Amino acid sequence: PVRQRCKDIDECEIVPDACKGGMKCVNHYGGYLCLPRTAQIIVNDGRNNVIRRTPADPHRAPPNPTHQIQCAAGYEQSDHNVCQDIDECATGTHNCRADQVCVNLRGSFSCQCPPGYQKRGDQCVDIDECTLPPYCHHRCVNTPGSYYCQCNAGFQLASNNHTCVDINECDANNPCAQQCYNILGSFICQCNPGFELSSDRINCEDTDECRTSSYICQYQCVNEPGKFSCVCPEGYQVVGGRTCQDINECETTNECREDEICWNYHGGFRCYPRNPCQEPYVLTSENRCVCPVSNAICRELPYSVVYKYMSIRSDRTVPSDIFQIQATTIYPNTINTFRIKSGNENGEFYLRQTSAVSAMLVLVKSLSGPREHIVDLEMLTVNSLNYRTSSVLRLTIIVGPYAF
């Protein structure tokens, strides 16, 4: 069992009554013989010399206990007076080298190399298994007397120790911060929307959408983990996620008194008096003040003043038509002319007459808000009798703080 070699079994010693009918048991290699007690055994000593002997009877003493038989080289006489093989490997009578393995043979022995080595002359040299099939799937590493297979990164050895199979890194130990996709021999990390892969290709960093474009929001962009949001200034609300729309405070909530009217403009609101008339003018209808002709002071003043309000966005493109003035009463045989009476000291406006009874106020210089402009637009009327009268439209222009 030590050398894992086959050794003959002496059935004559271990098998009770191996032979029946008075036959004698004679052991030989690979079996035994049952022979008559008077039978002679012929042993070849290897030199064509034969020796004849009679098998011994175990129940009686041998007739000549001192009789010795001659055995061939590599054999010796056994207790049963037969020639049996000498195990030189067990007795230590071999001459094998320390790096060799002794193998017993019938009548001799052999010096062989251990597994993984081959004989070259009288020496044992290592066999490079990496040059012989079955070959390793990826890499072969030769070792003294043996070898082993290695796999590339992302693979592992199969149960046959030769084939390499893919390692699913996403299932074994997910290295990705967010999304992991296994591929042959490796893996790929991806990030959720709003994130991007960092330089290590594993972790995810927030994408600052606000830095990618200055037009992503109409007013201001606020970056958040994995997303962004748009905010609007006071007086506006977000519409559609990115656009700012004016809040009409006059329809929701305001602080105007009962004797005031609320006027909404881009980004806010203002309260104006319901009765804007100043002496000697009196209110005749909404926002219309008339100076009575019975009052002597009124002879030098415009007959009527109409109060109007409008809102424009900051930095509006120019030139731009912004307001139309038109006569409410048309008299025959009269001529109407229009002019800007006051409020245009810096030349921001121009009044273009469009017909005999109307004119258009044109913005010719861009205005930045928030600010308020009060412009008096006057219509002069002259008839055929050289009678003159005038009416004023007092236009309050509120410029919002933003261009939206």
Side-chain angles (χ1 to χ4, degrees), residues 122-192:
D122 59 350
Q123 292 184 344
C124 292
V125 296
D126 176 55
I127 299 174
D128 188 356
E129 292 86 354
C130 295
T131 61
L132 305 173
Y135 300 102
C136 294
H137 193 180
H138 286 174
R139 297 192 305 274
C140 179
V141 180
N142 186 60
T143 60
S146 185
Y147 73 101
Y148 62 90
C149 296
Q150 285 184 340
C151 295
N152 298 333
F155 294 85
Q156 62 184 0
L157 276 176
S159 57
N160 60 13
N161 289 330
H162 286 84
T163 307
C164 294
V165 295
D166 175 57
I167 298 174
N168 190 335
E169 296 86 355
C170 299
D171 288 342
N173 183 20
N174 188 352
C176 298
Q178 292 183 357
Q179 300 179 26
C180 181
Y181 295 91
N182 184 63
I183 60 175
L184 191 64
S186 186
F187 63 94
I188 294 177
C189 295
Q190 290 188 356
C191 298
N192 299 329

Side-chain angles (χ1 to χ4, degrees), residues 39-285:
Q40 287 187 343
I41 300 173
I42 301 174
V43 179
N44 192 332
D45 63 359
R47 294 184 294 274
N48 294 326
N49 297 324
V50 295
I51 302 171
R52 299 174 183 271
R53 69 180 180 85
T54 302
D57 184 355
H59 299 289
R60 67 178 180 180
N64 187 7
T66 62
H67 173 71
Q68 298 290 325
I69 64 174
Q70 291 184 354
C71 297
Y75 293 88
E76 64 182 358
Q77 183 180 355
S78 69
D79 295 338
H80 297 287
N81 207 26
V82 296
C83 291
Q84 65 180 13
D85 176 58
I86 299 173
D87 189 347
E88 296 85 357
C89 299
T91 60
T93 57
H94 64 85
N95 59 354
C96 296
R97 297 162 53 95
D99 60 346
Q100 295 176 338
V101 177
C102 177
V103 179
N104 186 59
L105 302 175
R106 289 186 61 181
S108 182
F109 66 92
S110 173
C111 296
Q112 298 182 4
C113 295
Y117 292 84
Q118 62 183 355
K119 210 166 187 180
R120 186 173 296 171
D122 59 350
Q123 292 184 344
C124 292
V125 296
D126 176 55
I127 299 174
D128 188 356
E129 292 86 354
C130 295
T131 61
L132 305 173
Y135 300 102
C136 294
H137 193 180
H138 286 174
R139 297 192 305 274
C140 179
V141 180
N142 186 60
T143 60
S146 185
Y147 73 101
Y148 62 90
C149 296
Q150 285 184 340
C151 295
N152 298 333
F155 294 85
Q156 62 184 0
L157 276 176
S159 57
N160 60 13
N161 289 330
H162 286 84
T163 307
C164 294
V165 295
D166 175 57
I167 298 174
N168 190 335
E169 296 86 355
C170 299
D171 288 342
N173 183 20
N174 188 352
C176 298
Q178 292 183 357
Q179 300 179 26
C180 181
Y181 295 91
N182 184 63
I183 60 175
L184 191 64
S186 186
F187 63 94
I188 294 177
C189 295
Q190 290 188 356
C191 298
N192 299 329
F195 294 86
E196 58 186 358
L197 274 178
S198 60
S199 57
D200 61 9
R201 313 303 296 173
I202 291 178
N203 292 302
C204 293
E205 297 176 350
D206 175 54
T207 301
D208 190 351
E209 296 87 354
C210 299
R211 296 180 58 185
T212 59
S213 173
S214 58
Y215 302 100
I216 195 169
C217 293
Q218 189 172 34
Y219 176 65
Q220 183 178 352
C221 178
V222 178
N223 185 59
E224 300 175 17
K227 60 180 181 178
F228 72 96
S229 61
C230 296
V231 297
C232 294
E234 184 178 1
Y236 294 84
Q237 61 185 353
V238 179
V239 177
R242 301 189 181 190
T243 307
C244 293
Q245 184 183 69
D246 173 56
I247 298 174
N248 190 340
E249 294 87 354
C250 296
E251 293 180 355
T252 57
T253 176
N254 59 79
E255 299 176 354
C256 296
R257 302 191 306 266
E258 289 294 329
D259 60 345
E260 295 176 328
I261 59 172
C262 178
W263 179 260
N264 183 71
Y265 67 91
H266 297 290
F269 71 98
R270 295 194 178 185
C271 299
Y272 293 103
R274 292 186 181 275
N275 182 4
C277 303
Q278 298 177 359
E279 290 289 340
Y281 289 88
V282 295
L283 184 67
T284 59
S285 61

Side-chain angles (χ1 to χ4, degrees), residues 382-399:
V382 180
N383 62 11
S384 57
L385 300 177
N386 203 25
Y387 173 76
R388 295 173 176 266
T389 184
S390 69
S391 298
V392 171
L393 188 148
R394 181 159 294 169
L395 179 64
T396 300
I397 304 173
I398 305 172
V399 183

Side-chain angles (χ1 to χ4, degrees), residues 366-387:
S366 182
L367 299 177
S368 297
R371 63 186 296 186
E372 181 182 84
H373 284 268
I374 299 178
V375 182
D376 282 353
L377 306 178
E378 185 177 33
M379 182 181 70
L380 300 173
T381 303
V382 180
N383 62 11
S384 57
L385 300 177
N386 203 25
Y387 173 76

